[in-house]
């Protein structure tokens, strides 16, 4: 098999060590591709290329905003041409159903188009200032940060990358990008597009390899001006520590254990369908997953019965054939999810449906887990406290609104949450009390390029997408102009 390479300083290269890693198709355990496995030295080459591109050749940095915007449009157009190929790659590499991968690619294309427009919009501000120093004007401009390192997880292999790459490129930074080694193939294809549209040498670099080596180097290296990371809270904490050396700018999109609060006056059928989308979309491998259902006691039994019926009807199979759910991403991740399920049983939760590896027919060699619902859960159970990142949902009950709010907030995380009720005032009251960055009323999981995405508490720092997502990759410079040059009179006395 041809070895898939890294893209450093405008060239496709194998790692210095010559090591490789097999990428596995999770639907059947077969080798999908052989990928070069970079190390610290490869990361350093990429950082040096990005540094030279930003501080010496300055080709991308000095390009005007209109030309940068046009380049993003070209990238989007090229992605559109290979949309089906990109979706197929993510389905084969990650395991998500093809229609979900197609939606991801469409979103990613739109993200480039969105930032292509946004970078040309007016930005900065003009301020009325105190004139104690004579007549002054104060205004601000936005500038690129410099060398940006970006590290992404495997759950949305292409899309999580694009959320970072599109605004960072638009802003004029030079980039070293590292995807999760589980799912690198769609990002390699994306960098082929960067090369095709003519991104200047060294402005976009792709490194491939383990987080503990390459990832850590990106976080530590003093030539990196900024690091943005999407992944687990534990790794996010280690990145924060490593980034302290040169006080890098930092953006963290971390884990979640998000509450889905359902009141008795909610449309029950609608709440069940949204709860399904909240936890079983993308096999539950979603940071914002509604993994804790918190429901008013009086409707709990009816809701759980219906949820189990619907979960049991979920079809599982080869993700290219568009079942409701595909396999989990790797064998080890599947085993981690199965361990959590066992813990749930051991700690006394009631297993209502699912709870096992699915091996029927052609699924025998894949990493499939049936959608799993646990009833009678309590705040102290491991499955309620820890992020499982799979198709497993817990159900807890409340009697009063305050109890629901307290339970929703009883978590170290603060990424997302939802409320279902037909009482508009209550919906707003409760959602305002939930300590989370992304919330929904009477729906779960829709997400938009135009609106900011990010978490409270241990779910992260900063925001991606929307205007905030662009500003993360920009420095703000204040410029103060003296309109009356001459003596200020400060030292008169
Ligand atoms: P992970 O933290 O294991 O890995 C994420 C990335 O970090 C990978 O590229 C990995 O190689 C790299 N990495 C690992 N150790 C590193 C280290 N010591 N230094 C630097 N980099 C290192 O996460 P994962 O298993 O790939 O993804 C799942 C996690 O991502 C979940 O916790 C999920 O909630 C989170 N996530 C969050 C968001 C969000 O927007 N908040 C979105 C998607 C996923």
């Amino acid at each position: 098999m041809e070895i898939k390479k890294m893209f450093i300083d405008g060239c496709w290269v194998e790692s210095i060590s010559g090591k490789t890693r097999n990428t596995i198709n999770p639907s059947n355990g077969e080798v999908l591709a052989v990928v070069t496995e970079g190390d610290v030295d490869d990361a350093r080459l990429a950082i040096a290329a990005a540094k030279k591109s930003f501080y010496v050749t300055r080709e991308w940095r000095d390009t005007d905003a209109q030309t940068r915007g046009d380049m993003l449009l070209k990238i989007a157009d090229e992605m559109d041409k290979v949309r089906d190929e990109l979706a197929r790659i993510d389905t084969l590499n990650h395991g998500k159903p093809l229609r979900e991968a197609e939606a991801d690619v469409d979103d990613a294309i739109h993200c480039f188009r969105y930032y292509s427009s946004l970078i040309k919009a007016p930005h900065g501000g003009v301020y009325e200032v105190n004139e104690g120093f004579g007549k002054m004007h104060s205004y601000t401009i936005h500038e690129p940060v410099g060398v940006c390192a970006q590290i992404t997880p495997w759950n949305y292999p292409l899309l999580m990358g694009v959320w970072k790459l599109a605004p960072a490129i638009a802003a004029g930074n030079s980039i070293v990008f590292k995807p999760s080694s589980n799912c690198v193939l769609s990002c390699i294809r994306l960098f082929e597009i960067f090369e095709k549209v003519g991104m200047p040498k060294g402005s976009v670099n792709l490194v491939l390899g383990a987080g503990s080596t390459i990832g850590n180097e990106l976080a530590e290296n003093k030539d990196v001006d900024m690091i943005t990371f999407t992944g687990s809270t534990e790794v996010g904490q280690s990145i924060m520590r490593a980034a302290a050396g040169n006080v890098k700018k930092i953006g963290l999109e971390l884990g979640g254990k998000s509450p889905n609060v359902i009141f008795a006056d909610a449309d029950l059928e609608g709440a069940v369908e949204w709860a399904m989308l909240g936890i079983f979309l993308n096999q539950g491998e979603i940071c914002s997953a509604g993994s804790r259902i918190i429901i008013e006691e009086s409707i709990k039994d009816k809701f759980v019965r219906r949820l189990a019926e619907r979960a049991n009807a979920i079809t599982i199979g080869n993700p290219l054939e568009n079942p409701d759910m595909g396999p989990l991403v790797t064998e080890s991740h599947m085993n981690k999810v199965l361990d959590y399920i066992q813990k749930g049983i051991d700690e006394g939760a009631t297993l209502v449906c699912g709870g096992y590896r699915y091996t029927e027919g052609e699924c025998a060699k894949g990493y499939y887990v049936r959608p799993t619902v646990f009833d009678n859960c309590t705040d102290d159970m491991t499955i309620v406290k820890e992020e499982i990142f799979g198709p497993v949902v817990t159900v807890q009950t409340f009697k009063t609104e305050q109890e629901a709010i307290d339970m929703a907030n009883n978590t170290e995380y603060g990424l997302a949450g939802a409320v279902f009720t037909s009482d508009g005032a209550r919906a707003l009251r409760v959602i305002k009390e939930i300590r989370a960055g992304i919330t929904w009323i009477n729906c779960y999981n829709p997400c938009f390029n135009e609106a900011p995405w990010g978490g409270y508490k241990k779910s992260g720092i900063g925001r991606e997408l929307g205007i905030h997502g662009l500003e993360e990759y920009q420095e703000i410079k204040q410029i103060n102009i003296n309109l009356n040059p001459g003596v200020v009179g400060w030292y008169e006395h």
Side-chain angles (χ1 to χ4, degrees):
M1 258 183 204
E2 181 208 350
I3 295 173
K4 300 277 181 187
K5 300 192 178 78
M6 300 184 273
F7 190 63
I8 298 178
D9 206 14
C11 299
W12 291 96
V13 293
E14 286 186 32
S15 63
I16 296 166
S17 71
K19 281 192 229 153
T20 58
R21 176 195 291 255
N22 289 342
T23 289
I24 306 296
N25 177 342
S27 72
N28 55 23
E30 288 171 9
V31 176
L32 193 60
V34 180
V35 177
T36 194
E37 175 79 354
D39 216 324
V40 171
D41 288 338
D42 303 285
R44 286 183 183 152
L45 286 179
I47 293 166
K51 185 180 173 189
K52 188 170 158 212
S53 138
F54 191 81
Y55 290 103
V56 182
T57 56
R58 299 176 55 129
E59 212 182 327
W60 185 243
R61 168 185 176 179
D62 288 344
T63 302
D64 63 83
Q66 180 167 344
T67 311
R68 273 184 275 135
D70 288 350
M71 184 66 100
L72 263 73
L73 276 187
K74 266 197 214 166
I75 293 169
D77 290 345
E78 287 301 320
M79 288 174 76
D80 226 350
K81 287 184 199 159
V82 293
R83 178 228 189 217
D84 293 348
E85 182 195 343
L86 282 167
R88 201 182 144 81
I89 292 174
D90 263 0
T91 288
L92 287 168
N93 198 173
H94 171 269
K96 64 180 72 201
L98 189 59
R99 65 174 183 291
E100 291 185 25
E102 286 166 352
D104 292 356
V105 179
D106 291 343
D107 253 12
I109 293 169
H110 178 228
C111 190
F112 273 107
R113 295 205 168 120
Y114 171 71
Y115 283 112
S116 152
S117 303
L118 198 64
I119 196 62
K120 291 176 274 186
H123 63 270
V126 180
Y127 302 87
E128 290 242 351
V129 290
N130 179 301
E131 296 190 352
F133 281 100
K135 206 155 185 60
M136 303 276 268
H137 259 183
S138 182
Y139 74 102
T140 54
I141 58 167
H142 292 186
E143 297 184 330
V145 175
V147 175
C148 295
Q150 306 180 319
I151 302 177
T152 54
W154 46 259
N155 64 330
Y156 284 83
L158 180 73
L159 192 60
M160 288 299 98
V162 169
W163 283 12
K164 296 192 186 318
L165 288 161
I169 293 173
N173 295 287
S174 289
I175 292 154
V176 181
F177 177 79
K178 192 203 96 62
S180 162
S181 33
N182 289 335
C183 296
V184 297
L185 301 181
S186 53
C187 287
I188 293 176
R189 191 69 187 87
L190 179 63
F191 272 72
E192 287 171 3
I193 290 174
F194 292 165
E195 182 188 28
K196 182 172 181 191
V197 298
M199 283 298 296
K201 200 167 169 271
S203 60
V204 284
N205 301 276
L206 170 70
V207 290
L208 304 170
S212 53
T213 53
I214 286 203
N216 187 59
E217 177 63 21
L218 296 180
E220 249 177 11
N221 193 299
K222 296 204 170 44
D223 287 333
V224 173
D225 300 301
M226 173 174 194
I227 180 134
T228 52
F229 168 80
T230 301
S232 61
T233 296
E234 196 186 3
V235 174
Q237 288 169 316
S238 102
I239 284 181
M240 250 180 124
R241 281 189 290 270
N246 63 327
V247 194
K248 285 181 182 59
K249 294 214 156 310
I250 191 162
L252 300 175
E253 298 287 340
L254 308 178
K257 191 71 188 176
S258 300
N260 184 359
V261 178
I262 302 168
F263 284 90
D265 64 356
D267 163 26
L268 191 98
E269 219 25 54
V272 168
E273 291 307 303
W274 283 111
M276 298 261 292
L277 198 70
I279 187 63
F280 300 134
L281 187 73
N282 208 44
Q283 295 77 240
E285 295 164 331
I286 303 193
C287 51
S288 57
S291 51
R292 291 185 296 137
I293 291 175
I294 296 172
I295 188 162
E296 197 161 343
E297 199 175 67
S298 57
I299 59 159
K300 192 265 286 180
D301 287 342
K302 201 170 164 198
F303 179 91
V304 170
R305 249 193 325 273
R306 186 67 185 132
L307 181 65
E309 255 171 43
R310 298 288 293 124
N312 280 329
I314 279 181
T315 56
I316 287 188
N318 181 348
L320 285 174
E321 287 162 14
N322 267 325
D324 295 326
M325 263 175 51
L328 298 189
V329 68
T330 58
E331 188 172 18
S332 66
H333 186 60
M334 172 190 71
N335 288 332
K336 188 175 147 194
V337 171
L338 291 172
D339 283 350
Y340 271 117
I341 291 172
Q342 189 57 47
K343 255 192 198 128
I345 296 167
D346 294 345
E347 291 178 10
T350 309
L351 181 62
V352 180
C353 66
Y356 59 94
R357 180 177 183 179
Y358 181 75
T359 53
E360 295 290 307
E362 62 167 5
C363 294
K365 290 190 183 147
Y367 313 134
Y368 298 89
V369 173
R370 281 297 316 171
T372 302
V373 179
F374 274 111
D375 194 2
N376 301 318
C377 297
T378 50
D379 272 355
D380 57 339
M381 290 178 178
T382 309
I383 54 169
V384 174
K385 287 197 291 202
E386 294 182 15
E387 183 181 41
I388 298 174
F389 220 56
V392 181
V393 68
T394 61
V395 180
Q396 296 173 265
T397 56
F398 67 86
K399 287 201 183 95
T400 66
E401 188 176 306
Q402 191 55 48
E403 239 186 301
I405 292 167
D406 291 345
M407 216 178 268
N409 286 333
N410 191 10
T411 168
E412 295 186 322
Y413 295 109
L415 188 60
V419 176
F420 285 80
T421 173
S422 55
D423 178 339
R426 172 155 65 194
L428 289 174
R429 210 164 48 230
V430 174
I431 216 76
K432 248 184 83 23
E433 287 303 314
I434 292 182
R435 301 283 299 157
I438 307 143
T439 61
W440 295 278
I441 293 175
N442 293 333
C443 58
Y444 206 107
N445 258 342
C447 147
F448 314 98
N449 281 306
E450 296 78 4
W453 178 276
Y456 289 16
K457 304 197 296 192
K458 278 192 176 172
S459 289
I461 297 176
R463 293 292 179 271
E464 295 200 303
L465 300 180
I467 293 171
H468 297 83
L470 177 63
E471 288 178 351
E472 290 268 312
Y473 291 100
Q474 294 175 317
E475 296 280 16
I476 298 177
K477 175 174 286 174
Q478 183 186 126
I479 302 178
N480 299 307
I481 312 168
N482 179 7
L483 299 176
N484 282 321
V487 176
V488 177
W490 191 260
Y491 296 110
E492 268 174 19
H493 308 294

